[in-house]
Amino acid sequence: MPVDLPVVPDYESLDQTDAALDAMMTRLRALLEPDDLSEDAFVEICAIYNNVAYIFLYLESNEAHVNYERLLPWRNAFHQDAEADAALHDRLLALRCAHPETEEARTAYIAHLRAKLAAAPGHKNDGVDEQLLVEAKDILDGVRHDGAVLLQRMGSTSRANPNATFYKLASSTNSAATRTKLGRVWRATRDRRLGELTSVVDRMVDARRGESREQGAHSALAVTLRRCRVSEEAAWRLVEQYLIGSLEHQERLDSEVLAATGAPDNAMDHFGHYVRTLQAGRVVPLFPVEGCLSFIRHVAKTLFGLTFTEAPARSNSHVLAFDVELDGRLIGHVNLDLWQTDSRRRTANTTKGIRNRTQWHGIVQRPVAYVSCRFHRAEDGSNRITFQNVHSLFHEFGHAVNHLLIRKRLPTQSGLEYLPLERLEDLSMWFEKWVYHSQFADHLDLSPAELDGLQLCQDVKRLEYRRSHVDRAVTAALDFELHRRPEGGIEGAFRRLDEQYGIGAHCTLGDFPPYFTWPMFRANPGANFAYLWGASTSAQLFAPFLGTAVEDAGEPAALWEMFAPCFEFDRPSVEPDSAAIFAFYEGRPRPAAKGAVTGEGKAE
């Protein structure tokens, strides 16, 4: 078995990669040939599959630069061989591992293989969710078309996203009465297909309910909560507190907007215009990528003891590769793929843990995180990005750090999937908040006008997040309410929430069905509360750092203790204070409760 990184695919020749895959397949077959399987052999098999996953994700992310079509049969050979999967499944059933972590990995791998074999073509649930997703996306395409037609009638020639175009058009309109009318017409146009869309969403929810019953659970939410360390009652308590807090906060924001714009009512129809008045000719700068990375690496070094060293550039590569050290020893690697290319577009910025930590009887594999942030370079070709891009980059950087520092040595799940769902966003949302720290500007070499523009960007980002509180809270509440019940649709769930909490004063049903086509809702029904959990936890934990110099924020050991639940599954999940998120974005951060998050030690 190779130690540490497998052969990195080369743009000029794939011969070495081909040979490495051939050698790993030969070794895999040799390990599966005996009727029984040893504990060491199982660990080695996990390492082989980790390496194969690394190679192909790397190739997929660089397909604009390398044609790897001739290697695709290898991917099928490793990942679509039902006979090999069945053989490994049978051998794992007979195996008992002495080491607790390996035994845990064995049982998890059995569950994974059992689900994979059950989902083979011909299974009765095969393709149902995909068919409904296609139907929903066709309806949403129709909604976008209707919006584009309306914009054409209003004189717009923009080919940009209709929602973004409408926001820009409405915000530039000086008449409050006209903005109110435009908002009403836009929502009516959006909701023409609402009945069709809610029908599809209801069928998607019903399909998940059926799958949960097949698994012996009383609800789809109950299945999801198996991947969490919180009870249904605790999760709903946070959702409800967040929902109530968001409605109270929205009242304050509405008052600010109406007072600033002179509009009589319907405050959010005038929000965009309010933001435009704040800009009032001020420069909105772009920010140097190198300076942004310098700052966030400084944070990681000072507070976590992590050193990010850029690896030697590979020919023609658009990926920034970093070796990451802790206390002078290499603990993993981070690849940053930042620029939009002609390769397959990704619709969202992502971080994948494409190889996990393995240290076992001579097998050493260090974790690799692959961060894909699709940005456009500045018009002059320089590496400069918008403030929103910086926010996204810091968020994904947090996911990458989280992946590298997970302590489990033999996880069979990929990357952060090892953690309870409610903790997946804690560290990433904490890292994203460093865009508001005063020392961020010290790494950017900005002019006085650009410094003022940075402050503007921070103010606007805070406002935009404040505007989204109700949307986030109601989305999580609808998701939770639908998937914990054995029947009922999204319209009924919205009505119940309105009757109890009065959400209809600040949102409409038409705002929410599109979210239920997103991957998180499909993969983990009911788990959208995790975003509220991460938002609240991160705001609570970041508050002490906002007004403190990075260098004076404490020793790395304190951060390891604070974020131990992000690195260790068996740590308890501590319910955060949902009020912290509202206070943070209103500019009055609340300190973390003493002892709210505890932990100890470092990654192995």
Side-chain angles (χ1 to χ4, degrees):
M1 273 298 298
V3 175
D4 202 30
L5 280 175
V7 175
V8 175
D10 184 84
Y11 295 135
E12 305 301 326
S13 171
L14 295 177
D15 290 345
Q16 284 185 301
T17 308
D18 195 7
L21 289 166
D22 185 39
M24 284 188 281
M25 177 56 74
T26 299
R27 181 60 178 159
L28 178 62
R29 288 171 178 161
L31 291 168
L32 289 175
E33 185 174 357
D35 292 335
D36 57 352
L37 193 70
S38 70
E39 188 169 350
D40 288 351
F42 169 52
V43 175
E44 189 171 345
I45 288 171
C46 290
I48 289 172
Y49 279 114
N50 267 330
N51 276 349
V52 172
Y54 168 81
I55 288 173
F56 278 101
L57 184 60
Y58 186 94
L59 289 169
E60 289 169 3
S61 300
N62 289 275
E63 62 185 357
H65 308 281
V66 58
N67 180 6
Y68 63 96
E69 185 175 352
R70 69 184 178 93
L71 296 182
L72 292 179
W74 283 121
R75 183 168 63 183
N76 294 339
F78 279 101
H79 295 298
Q80 297 181 22
D81 187 339
E83 185 177 341
D85 288 342
L88 179 55
H89 176 269
D90 292 345
R91 285 155 180 73
L92 288 175
L93 284 176
L95 175 65
R96 292 297 181 272
C97 300
H99 195 286
E101 289 186 351
T102 322
E103 178 63 14
E104 183 182 345
R106 183 190 71 86
T107 57
Y109 218 117
I110 289 172
H112 162 72
L113 290 171
R114 184 173 296 143
K116 185 178 179 182
L117 291 167
H123 188 255
K124 62 181 178 180
N125 289 328
D126 186 46
V128 172
D129 193 55
E130 289 300 322
Q131 292 170 12
L132 291 171
L133 180 63
V134 169
E135 189 174 341
K137 288 188 174 181
D138 285 343
I139 297 170
L140 291 173
D141 285 343
V143 172
R144 283 187 285 271
H145 172 76
D146 294 344
V149 170
L150 175 61
L151 289 168
Q152 289 175 357
R153 291 175 181 170
M154 295 166 61
S156 172
T157 59
S158 174
R159 295 181 178 272
N161 178 285
N163 285 311
T165 302
F166 174 78
Y167 180 85
K168 183 176 181 180
L169 176 65
S171 65
S172 63
T173 303
N174 290 324
S175 166
T178 301
R179 292 194 299 270
T180 298
K181 181 180 179 181
L182 288 173
R184 185 168 57 249
V185 172
W186 185 255
R187 287 187 291 274
T189 301
R190 178 201 65 187
D191 290 348
R192 285 176 190 165
R193 303 172 189 260
L194 181 58
E196 299 174 66
L197 187 56
T198 56
S199 175
V200 177
V201 169
D202 288 349
R203 282 185 280 150
M204 295 173 84
V205 172
D206 281 338
R208 292 167 200 150
R209 289 168 175 158
E211 291 172 3
S212 67
R213 287 191 291 270
E214 289 181 3
Q215 298 180 50
H218 67 272
S219 70
L221 176 64
V223 175
T224 293
L225 288 175
R226 293 171 182 172
R227 291 195 55 206
C228 302
R229 292 295 304 278
V230 296
S231 66
E232 181 175 328
E233 293 73 22
W236 175 250
R237 184 165 54 247
L238 176 71
V239 172
E240 184 176 45
Q241 290 172 353
Y242 201 114
L243 179 59
I244 293 170
S246 72
L247 295 170
E248 294 173 351
H249 173 85
Q250 190 65 44
E251 294 287 350
R252 296 194 293 272
L253 181 59
D254 284 354
S255 297
E256 290 178 31
V257 173
L258 295 177
T261 61
D265 51 25
N266 300 312
M268 289 302 99
D269 286 339
H270 312 282
F271 179 82
H273 188 72
Y274 173 45
V275 171
R276 286 178 69 92
T277 63
L278 294 178
Q279 181 174 347
R282 296 160 70 185
V283 174
V284 180
L286 296 175
F287 302 94
V289 171
E290 292 78 6
C292 297
L293 289 175
S294 170
F295 175 63
I296 205 65
R297 288 162 62 188
H298 175 60
V299 170
K301 170 66 175 177
T302 306
L303 299 183
F304 286 94
L306 301 174
T307 300
F308 283 70
T309 303
E310 189 167 355
R314 293 187 289 271
S315 60
N316 300 320
S317 178
H318 60 285
V319 176
L320 299 176
F322 293 92
D323 297 329
V324 185
E325 294 184 345
L326 175 65
D327 296 333
R329 58 189 176 88
L330 185 66
I331 65 165
H333 312 268
V334 174
N335 294 333
L336 299 177
D337 186 357
L338 302 181
W339 304 114
Q340 191 68 268
T341 66
D342 293 331
S343 61
R344 183 183 67 230
R345 293 177 63 93
R346 287 179 169 81
T347 57
N349 298 325
T350 59
T351 299
K352 286 186 177 292
I354 57 178
R355 201 174 67 166
N356 299 305
R357 183 188 314 282
T358 301
Q359 292 173 271
W360 185 269
H361 295 187
I363 296 175
V364 178
Q365 289 187 322
R366 298 179 178 90
V368 180
Y370 199 105
V371 177
S372 176
C373 287
R374 294 313 190 192
F375 306 148
H376 291 283
R377 280 191 168 92
E379 292 183 1
D380 62 4
S382 62
N383 295 341
R384 300 178 72 86
I385 56 179
T386 66
F387 186 79
Q388 177 58 48
N389 290 162
V390 181
H391 190 275
S392 296
L393 179 59
F394 284 10
H395 179 97
E396 299 302 333
F397 186 91
H399 277 311
V401 168
N402 203 160
H403 174 65
L404 263 58
L405 299 185
I406 286 176
R407 297 191 184 110
K408 200 74 169 182
R409 294 192 304 168
L410 298 171
T412 50
Q413 294 172 304
S414 175
L416 298 177
E417 291 179 3
Y418 160 71
L419 288 176
L421 291 172
E422 70 274 10
R423 300 186 214 157
L424 290 179
E425 299 295 332
D426 288 2
L427 195 58
S428 58
M429 288 186 170
W430 184 84
F431 264 100
E432 75 186 24
K433 289 175 175 58
W434 286 95
V435 298
Y436 299 105
H437 197 274
S438 60
Q439 285 179 279
F440 177 34
D442 297 343
H443 292 250
L444 301 180
D445 191 26
L446 301 178
S447 68
E450 289 173 327
L451 285 171
D452 179 65
L454 172 60
Q455 181 64 58
L456 170 66
C457 289
Q458 292 168 333
D459 292 343
V460 169
K461 183 64 179 177
R462 285 183 187 271
L463 275 172
E464 290 175 343
Y465 204 101
R466 291 174 63 192
R467 184 196 186 196
S468 73
H469 283 320
V470 168
D471 186 82
R472 293 168 187 264
V474 174
T475 299
L478 284 171
D479 182 38
F480 205 94
E481 175 74 0
L482 276 172
H483 290 110
R484 71 173 169 179
R485 288 176 176 264
E487 59 185 15
I490 189 171
E491 186 174 359
F494 185 89
R495 184 174 58 253
R496 287 191 297 274
L497 291 172
D498 187 28
E499 291 170 352
Q500 185 167 1
Y501 303 101
I503 62 175
H506 299 291
C507 58
T508 67
L509 174 61
D511 297 326
F512 301 101
Y515 296 139
F516 285 80
T517 65
W518 289 11
M520 177 67 168
F521 291 82
R522 298 166 58 217
N524 300 293
N528 203 259
F529 76 89
Y531 292 103
L532 310 187
W533 193 286
S536 301
T537 297
S538 63
Q540 191 173 341
L541 295 180
F542 188 76
F545 297 91
L546 187 59
T548 305
V550 177
E551 298 77 12
D552 298 331
E555 296 297 319
L559 265 290
W560 284 95
E561 173 120 356
M562 182 182 294
F563 285 102
C566 295
F567 312 137
E568 183 61 61
F569 179 92
D570 293 328
R571 294 279 175 171
S573 291
V574 180
E575 187 174 339
D577 176 8
S578 61
I581 190 68
F582 308 115
F584 179 84
Y585 283 102
E586 284 185 287
R588 45 185 185 85
R590 297 160 61 95
K594 185 176 181 181
V597 180
T598 60
E600 61 186 11
K602 297 183 178 180
E604 295 179 358

